[in-house]
Amino acid sequence: MSEPTVMVSIRDVDKYFGENHVLRAVTLDVHEGEVVVVIGPSGSGKSTLCRSINRLETIDSGQILVAGRPLPQEGAELAQLRADVGMVFQQFNLFSHLSILDNVILAPTLVRKTDKASARAEALALLDRVGIADKADRMPAQLSGGQQQRAAIARALAMKPKALLFDEPTSALDPEMVGEVLDVMADLAAEGMTMIVVTHEMGFARRVANRVAFMDHGAIVELATPDEFFENPTTERARSFLASILPH
């Protein structure tokens, strides 16, 4: 059997914010169709790692490859990378002056040069897929947080990305809205979308991840299957982290 394609390859990546060493020799391969969930305490470098993969943050040393190609520095190649690697943020980042439908249509027509009619048909299909087709003509402010985040996922999918990055996608949501977003993400995983997910949702990590990467002080301390990580963590740091967050 052939080896699965490495979609995202992170090699010895270091990143500083001034004196603060936020990523320390991080190395990780994410294969096509794999879901890697990144967890760890606040300030451990999870979001910085996620944002570095599509160059929202620049790295100081090391290398990141997407589909075998190094991250472009700027210009049209960087725009192409961001089309290929979609990002879903904590705060939705929808354009408040555009309807939900127009939010989803905007990037495919501008970046992918999709014609307006095709983009509209695809956008409506994606909004249906995430369960908010009836909200297509609403403005973002008219939707709940969970509905806005599902719209943001549809917007990312509209670019037909090779991989999706999720940076704490449910942490700004009221608890009753978290499940509706995680369900959409679980469906995407089941369909084979390559995903890197930074989250505090341990139930999602356990249920959906192929592997869990546990970060602490800017480094990946453990990398294991969910069963291995949650049932038998190998480091004292991971054991204390789990003890502090999981119900006793």
Side-chain angles (χ1 to χ4, degrees), residues 33 129 157 184-194:
R129 183 172 168 187
L157 289 172
V184 169
M185 293 167 62
D187 288 345
L188 290 174
E191 291 164 14
M193 175 61 75
T194 307

Side-chain angles (χ1 to χ4, degrees), residues 8 35 63 89-90 97 128 130 139 151-152 172 178 194 196 208 219:
V8 178
V35 179
Q63 190 176 43
F89 299 88
Q90 184 176 339
H97 65 291
D128 186 51
V130 300
M139 304 302 280
V178 170
T194 307
I196 299 172
V208 179

